[in-house]
Amino acid sequence: MRQRELFVDERSLFEKLCDVRYLRAGFKAVKKNDGSPGVDGMTVDDFGSCLKEEIERLAEELASWRYKPSPVRRVEIPKPGKGAGVRLLGVPCVKDRVVHATIKQLLEPILDPCFSDQSFGFRPGRNQRQAVEVGQRIVKSGKEYVVDIDLSKFFDRVNHDRLIYLLSGHVDDKRILRLIGMILRSGIMKDGQVMLSEEGTPQGSPLSPLLSNVVLDELDKELERRGLEFCRFADDCNIYVRSPKAAERVMSSISKFIEKKLKLKINRDKSKVAHSSEVKFLGMTIIEGTLAISAKSMKTAMQKVKELTPRGTYLPLEKTMERINRWYIGWSGYYRMTEYPAQLSKIEAHIRRRLRARLVDQQKRRRHLFKKLKKRGVGRKNAANTAFSNKGRWALSHTFALERAYSVAWFIQEKGQEIRSNQKHPHWLPLRRWIRV
C-alpha cells in the first residue's frame, strides 16, 4: 500500500522531495550503485548505518532551504587504449547523491515520455542492444552510410542556463528548478581547492544521465524534423543516409546546429562520414547488414585478457581463472549479439593460450615440463620434443602437446569445478562457455 501511495501522491514535486519516503527510495537507488565517497569521506554504508537520522535531517534541510550541495570530488579515470587520455568524473557526497537520485525518480516519469523513440541511453526499458539492432535495421533498409557524431567532453560542456530553460518547459515547480541549478553550480574540488562549475554536469551524479537526455532531445527533435533516420545512445549518435554525398551534407548542417544552437562542441578528429562497416557504434560494427564486434573492441578485449593473465604473478591459477571468468561473463554477455561466433571463439582461444603459457612458466625446469606432459597423457617422444625444444613459453603454449595436456575438457573438469565452488552467485553456465568452445 505504501508503494502505491508514492505513485498517486498529488503534492508538488518539491513537497515529495522533502518526504522521507521518497528520500528513502532515493537512498535505495544510491545503495544499489554503491560508489566512492565524496569530499566529506562518508561512504554509502556509513550513511546507511544511521539512515533514519540522516534521511530525517536531509528532509528537514530541504524543506527549510538550509540544504546546500557540496562540491563534487574530481576523479580522473584513464580511458581504454594507449594515449587515450582520461575521463573526468565528479563524485558527489552520498547525501547529495540521495537528493540527485530522488529528483531523478520524480522527474523521469514526466520527462521520459517526451523523449524520441530513437533515443536509447539511460532510459528505463531501453538498452544498448536495442540501439544497435535499430541501427542494423536502418542499414538493411539501404541507408549504409553513417554520419558518426562525437561530442567533445559532452558532460563537461552542458550549458546550465539552456538546460534549466529546457527543463522549465516540462517542470512547473520552480523550487525543483532552483535546486537543480544549485546542484549544477555546486563546484568541483581537486587537490583541496574548490573550483566554480560554470558549465557541465558531474558524470558521477545519478541525475546527470537524465539531464543529458533533456539537452540532447533537442538534437533528436531536429533530426526528426528533417526526416533523418538516426539512433542515439547518450552522446553517441549515428545518422544513416543512402550516399556519401548526402552524409557529408548532413554532417556539415548538423554540426552547425549542435555548436550554434545547443552550444556543444564536435570532436572533429573522432567524428566521421563512412560506410557502416567502418563505423563503431556501442562496440559493434554493421557489416553487410550483420552485426560484428568492432576491431577496436576486439583489440581492447585482447589487451584485457593480457592484463588479467600477467607473467610473473604469484596468484594461484584458480584465482586467475576466477578473475578472468568474472570479466568474461560480462563481456561476452553483451557481445554475444555478434553474428560472427568466431570472434568469441578467438577471445576464448586466446584466454586458454595465455593460461597454458602460465602453466609452462610454473615448471622451473624443462625436465619438470617433460614429466608433467607425460603425466597428462602426452606420448614420451612428443613430450620430449616439446619440453626440450628451444621454444619459449608463448610458442610452447600453442603446441599439440600443451593443447592435449591442457585441453578444453581439462579446464572444465579439473579447474572449472573449483571455480564454481568459489562463486557467490550461480553463474556456472556462463563460466563454462569460454572453456568449452
Side-chain angles (χ1 to χ4, degrees):
M1 180 63 71
R2 181 171 296 178
Q3 286 289 348
R4 183 176 297 178
E5 289 173 3
L6 292 177
F7 294 101
V8 299
D9 197 332
E10 295 183 356
R11 292 176 296 171
S12 69
L13 290 174
F14 187 76
E15 289 171 334
K16 294 176 185 178
L17 177 63
C18 299
D19 190 319
V20 295
R21 295 175 298 174
Y22 285 89
L23 290 172
R24 279 182 179 274
F27 172 74
K28 186 176 180 181
V30 170
K31 185 175 177 61
K32 182 178 180 181
N33 292 324
D34 199 13
S36 304
V39 295
D40 61 356
M42 177 178 280
T43 66
V44 174
D45 289 338
D46 292 338
F47 192 94
S49 64
C50 45
L51 183 61
K52 185 175 184 297
E53 295 81 0
E54 291 286 356
I55 290 293
E56 288 178 352
R57 185 184 303 116
L58 182 57
E60 196 278 326
E61 288 178 359
L62 286 165
S64 62
W65 284 97
R66 289 191 295 108
Y67 169 76
K68 183 178 179 181
S70 300
V72 299
R73 179 170 64 89
R74 172 68 82 204
V75 177
E76 295 182 353
I77 305 295
K79 292 182 179 179
K82 187 176 181 180
V86 296
R87 178 175 288 107
L88 301 178
L89 299 183
V91 182
C93 297
V94 176
K95 179 178 73 171
D96 294 334
R97 295 211 296 268
V98 172
V99 175
H100 299 185
T102 308
I103 294 175
K104 173 183 178 291
Q105 291 178 351
L106 291 172
L107 293 185
E108 195 166 61
I110 299 172
L111 298 173
D112 191 76
C114 304
F115 295 151
S116 169
D117 287 340
Q118 304 305 109
S119 165
F120 293 88
F122 311 126
R123 297 183 63 187
R126 290 172 172 250
N127 55 46
Q128 291 165 302
R129 179 166 190 142
Q130 292 172 339
V132 171
E133 288 175 346
V134 166
Q136 180 186 25
R137 175 183 56 77
I138 297 173
V139 169
K140 282 184 174 181
S141 73
K143 297 183 177 180
E144 299 182 353
Y145 291 89
V146 183
V147 179
D148 184 14
I149 296 176
D150 186 276
L151 300 177
S152 177
K153 298 180 179 179
F154 166 71
F155 283 93
D156 297 326
R157 290 199 165 106
V158 170
N159 183 281
H160 292 170
D161 293 336
R162 184 155 193 83
L163 173 55
I164 296 298
Y165 168 75
L166 293 172
L167 281 171
S168 66
H170 304 280
V171 180
D172 295 329
D173 196 327
K174 304 296 183 185
R175 293 168 295 182
I176 289 290
L177 297 177
R178 177 187 170 190
L179 185 57
I180 292 175
M182 291 170 57
I183 291 170
L184 294 173
R185 295 187 294 270
S186 60
I188 299 164
M189 180 174 285
K190 183 180 180 182
D191 300 326
Q193 300 293 321
V194 177
M195 300 176 288
L196 296 178
S197 48
E198 298 179 351
E199 61 179 3
T201 64
Q203 286 197 52
S205 166
L207 184 58
S208 289
L210 179 63
L211 298 182
S212 72
N213 274 331
V214 172
V215 173
L216 292 175
D217 188 59
E218 266 198 302
L219 172 60
D220 298 342
K221 295 298 191 289
E222 177 65 16
L223 295 175
E224 289 174 348
R225 187 185 68 79
R226 298 186 186 192
L228 295 170
E229 290 202 77
F230 69 97
C231 187
R232 181 176 67 80
F233 190 97
D235 57 339
D236 197 348
C237 181
N238 280 359
I239 306 168
Y240 302 87
V241 294
R242 294 186 182 275
S243 68
K245 186 176 180 180
E248 292 288 356
R249 185 174 63 250
V250 170
M251 171 65 87
S252 175
S253 61
I254 290 299
S255 295
K256 291 178 183 177
F257 174 83
I258 290 172
E259 294 186 334
K260 292 184 178 180
K261 183 74 180 289
L262 304 188
K263 303 186 185 302
L264 298 172
K265 186 174 178 59
I266 299 281
N267 188 328
R268 304 288 179 179
D269 294 331
K270 293 185 178 181
S271 298
K272 63 180 180 179
V273 168
H275 191 268
S276 65
S277 60
E278 301 173 7
V279 175
K280 177 177 73 73
F281 182 51
L282 302 177
M284 304 298 292
T285 298
I286 304 170
I287 302 173
E288 296 181 354
T290 60
L291 293 178
I293 304 172
S294 71
K296 184 176 180 180
S297 297
M298 288 291 290
K299 184 178 179 180
T300 302
M302 288 290 198
Q303 182 60 35
K304 184 66 177 180
V305 171
K306 185 176 180 180
E307 292 172 8
L308 292 171
T309 54
R311 293 188 63 179
T313 179
Y314 293 98
L315 192 68
L317 183 64
E318 289 74 17
K319 287 292 183 183
T320 299
M321 292 174 69
E322 185 176 339
R323 286 173 55 193
I324 203 163
N325 266 328
R326 220 171 15 239
W327 164 77
Y328 191 70
I329 288 170
W331 188 89
S332 62
Y334 175 72
Y335 285 105
R336 68 186 176 203
M337 73 176 85
T338 179
E339 295 177 73
Y340 296 86
Q343 292 185 296
L344 295 177
S345 298
K346 183 178 180 179
I347 299 296
E348 294 159 0
H350 187 60
I351 292 172
R352 289 193 297 271
R353 186 174 180 185
R354 294 282 305 181
L355 293 174
R356 290 187 186 109
R358 169 86 174 276
L359 289 164
V360 172
D361 257 358
Q362 290 178 347
Q363 311 307 314
K364 301 303 181 185
R365 298 285 186 272
R366 290 283 176 158
R367 66 175 181 272
H368 295 165
L369 177 59
F370 168 66
K371 292 178 180 179
K372 181 68 72 173
L373 292 175
K374 280 206 310 175
K375 184 179 179 181
R376 295 292 315 146
V378 179
R380 181 183 182 86
K381 183 178 179 181
N382 197 349
N385 289 339
T386 302
F388 298 112
S389 69
N390 293 324
K391 293 179 179 179
R393 63 186 289 277
W394 185 242
L396 286 173
S397 67
H398 196 43
T399 59
F400 171 81
L402 263 293
E403 290 179 351
R404 174 164 183 174
Y406 302 106
S407 62
V408 174
W410 180 84
F411 282 106
I412 296 175
Q413 295 167 9
E414 299 297 326
K415 296 300 177 185
Q417 185 66 30
E418 288 185 29
I419 294 175
R420 178 175 66 162
S421 65
N422 290 332
Q423 293 295 318
K424 295 180 180 179
H425 304 291
H427 289 318
W428 174 229
L429 287 179
L431 281 170
R432 292 181 59 171
R433 171 172 166 70
W434 66 265
I435 51 183
R436 180 191 301 152
V437 174

